[in-house]
Amino acid sequence: MRPFAITPGVLTRRRPRIRTVASLAALALAVGCGHPARDYHLPPQPLPEHEKALTGKTATIGEVSYTAIGLGTKIPEVIGSHGSWIAHGQFVRVRLLMVDHGRERHDFNPYRQLLVTTDGAAHAPSYDAMQISRAPNGIQSIASQEMRAFDLWFDVPANARVRALRVLGDPSSSRLADQLKGAPVAGAKNPVDIPLT
């Protein structure tokens, strides 16, 4: 018996073989015999209280991409396992996703990032909120091809509205010729603003 034999009259009488071949090709693509997926399909993550998901505006510095994926504003208090702290104005929490596309590790200092409000003021992270929430502390090293997401906390005036996250990253290059010269990735801009509106 031949595989995929066509019994006359089962499908249609008009060109059953051509229609069957086309159907098999479509089925093969549908079950994954075509090109492999080009993106990760990550499971949905629950949003923390006071946070909304952002559409994923991305900026790149050197070999690392930075995407603001969540924003919480008007947060009155940060609560951790060992204490809590009331905002002087309001806490703003930005969830940042970093991906290292290079062959080398790259450094990231959470405390050098700035939240820019619509009045043009730039606000440094809140040390108290970062510590109480157990956010990253000290210089972080992101490995080659690593993906990492974490929160940055800011304490801004109660009536302030956010405009952007100003990211200061590591523009260094994995290319040996660049490393020998201490040169950054060609054309790297640092810092960059990621819109939050």
Side-chain angles (χ1 to χ4, degrees):
M1 183 171 157
R2 293 180 304 162
F4 304 107
I6 300 169
T7 305
V10 171
L11 293 174
T12 64
R13 294 195 186 276
R14 291 179 293 153
R15 300 184 176 196
R17 188 172 302 268
I18 293 173
R19 186 169 292 199
T20 303
V21 170
S23 299
L24 290 175
L27 179 63
L29 289 173
V31 297
C33 294
H35 295 290
R38 301 283 187 216
D39 299 297
Y40 286 112
H41 298 285
L42 302 176
Q45 300 296 310
L47 288 172
E49 186 179 8
H50 301 291
E51 187 165 301
K52 68 174 182 177
L54 297 176
T55 56
K57 294 172 181 165
T58 300
T60 300
I61 300 173
E63 298 172 338
V64 181
S65 63
Y66 304 85
T67 307
I69 60 173
L71 176 66
T73 60
K74 306 285 185 192
I75 303 171
E77 180 180 17
V78 59
I79 300 172
S81 59
H82 59 298
S84 64
W85 196 262
I86 295 174
H88 296 291
Q90 62 168 306
F91 285 122
V92 173
R93 181 180 59 223
V94 180
R95 188 145 186 86
L96 184 66
L97 173 68
M98 296 173 54
V99 182
D100 182 352
H101 302 282
R103 296 192 312 264
E104 288 291 336
R105 296 178 188 91
H106 290 285
D107 292 337
F108 180 80
N109 186 341
Y111 287 97
R112 296 193 69 192
Q113 313 315 306
L114 299 171
L115 182 74
V116 181
T117 48
T118 54
D119 61 1
H123 306 270
S126 165
Y127 179 81
D128 297 314
M130 294 282 284
Q131 292 300 311
I132 290 170
S133 68
R134 306 289 198 206
N137 188 27
I139 294 176
Q140 305 295 302
S141 179
I142 181 168
S144 172
Q145 306 305 316
E146 182 181 4
M147 177 186 302
R148 186 184 301 182
F150 51 84
D151 292 328
L152 297 170
W153 286 79
F154 303 88
D155 192 345
V156 302
N159 61 350
R161 294 185 317 177
V162 299
R163 188 178 81 202
L165 178 67
R166 183 163 293 155
V167 177
L168 181 70
D170 178 357
S172 62
S173 172
S174 293
R175 292 182 62 226
L176 182 58
D178 290 338
Q179 290 180 350
L180 292 173
K181 293 186 250 179
V185 171
K189 182 181 174 187
N190 194 27
V192 295
D193 285 2
I194 301 173
L196 297 177
T197 55

